[in-house]
Amino acid sequence: MPVFSKGNFTLNLGIASISTEISEEDRQCAWELYCELTSRVALMGKEDARGELVFTGELYDQSLDSLYAFFREARGLMRRYPVGRIKSESTQNHLGFFIAALLEVVIRPFLEQWQASYRHWWSRECERLPQASPFERQQGYPQLQKMLEDWRVVRRFCRSAARELTEQFKLPDVTALEPPELKQQWLAETSALVEKQDV
């Protein structure tokens, strides 16, 4: 079950266990949410060889754009699959409730806390250091470690939610398609490219 924990706050945002036969509309809604989650580095992140979430090769302003785009897409999913059309034993087991909680408890607070602050700083830094590589420039954000710490919390939750969707709605796990060795090779090559740009 996906559990969101930040500081002293912990909330179980479980996706209801489906005991009856799943309708195709339920599965389609779950699949669309799953695709949005797993196709965005901003939500899933990348793991190093130790399983730690890393931000290697990531431009934070673009990832913030992707996070906000996910917010819009998830709201669209809630509209396309209204509660009255989904076949569920209880309305509160409806996937739309999970999506709403994901947006309100996990995504919105993160965006409200960090998006404006980072973007304001970023625009000033782009003017101040126009020749610096974006990877080098973004390392100067004064609250970088705190922002990345909060972002890891969001990403851990989204990874857990994606796993839960595959289990509850019998979806194929696309995250298992890429061999771990290939992921690590890409990560190492990306790190080398970023380091070269920062020199």
Side-chain angles (χ1 to χ4, degrees):
M1 172 179 296
V3 176
F4 180 72
S5 296
K6 188 174 187 306
N8 296 326
F9 178 80
T10 299
L11 180 65
N12 290 341
L13 290 175
I15 299 167
S17 179
I18 308 291
S19 55
T20 59
E21 190 172 325
I22 304 166
S23 77
E24 280 309 305
E25 199 157 28
D26 290 336
R27 287 190 80 224
Q28 186 61 37
C29 180
W31 175 250
E32 290 184 36
L33 176 61
Y34 178 75
C35 289
E36 284 296 325
L37 286 170
T38 58
S39 64
R40 295 181 187 273
V41 171
L43 290 163
M44 299 289 282
K46 294 176 273 191
E47 289 183 335
D48 64 13
R50 297 167 301 161
E52 298 293 322
L53 289 172
V54 295
F55 291 81
T56 305
E58 194 170 340
L59 291 175
Y60 307 139
D61 68 320
Q62 291 178 4
S63 286
L64 286 167
D65 284 344
S66 180
L67 202 54
Y68 185 70
F70 169 78
F71 197 97
R72 289 193 312 264
E73 290 295 327
R75 279 191 314 209
L77 267 178
M78 290 171 69
R79 284 193 297 270
R80 282 199 308 276
Y81 297 95
V83 71
R85 283 176 32 211
I86 303 284
K87 311 291 187 281
S88 198
E89 291 175 6
S90 163
T91 312
Q92 292 193 340
N93 290 346
H94 181 258
L95 190 54
F97 279 85
F98 173 77
I99 297 171
L102 170 63
L103 296 181
E104 292 302 314
V105 176
V106 181
I107 307 296
R108 185 192 303 275
F110 177 83
L111 286 172
E112 286 176 351
Q113 182 170 1
W114 296 112
Q115 183 168 235
S117 169
Y118 183 81
R119 288 190 185 288
H120 177 71
W121 173 85
W122 179 252
S123 63
R124 285 195 339 242
E125 287 299 291
C126 287
E127 291 174 13
R128 193 175 75 82
L129 299 169
Q131 302 304 320
S133 85
F135 297 107
E136 179 184 10
R137 190 183 304 132
Q138 70 187 7
Q139 294 306 311
Y141 181 51
Q143 299 178 73
L144 181 63
Q145 293 313 311
K146 178 68 175 119
M147 181 179 78
L148 297 185
E149 180 184 315
D150 286 352
W151 215 334
R152 281 186 183 94
V153 170
V154 169
R155 289 176 177 190
R156 281 188 206 100
F157 178 82
C158 289
R159 284 172 167 264
S160 178
R163 278 192 304 273
E164 187 82 1
L165 285 167
T166 62
E167 292 169 15
Q168 297 298 335
F169 291 90
K170 312 293 188 258
L171 303 174
D173 182 7
V174 298
T175 64
L177 295 176
E178 189 178 354
E181 306 79 37
L182 181 59
K183 285 183 182 178
Q184 293 312 309
Q185 181 181 340
W186 277 114
L187 196 58
E189 290 174 6
T190 302
S191 295
L193 287 172
V194 170
E195 287 167 14
K196 194 180 293 185
Q197 284 190 7
D198 286 347
V199 174

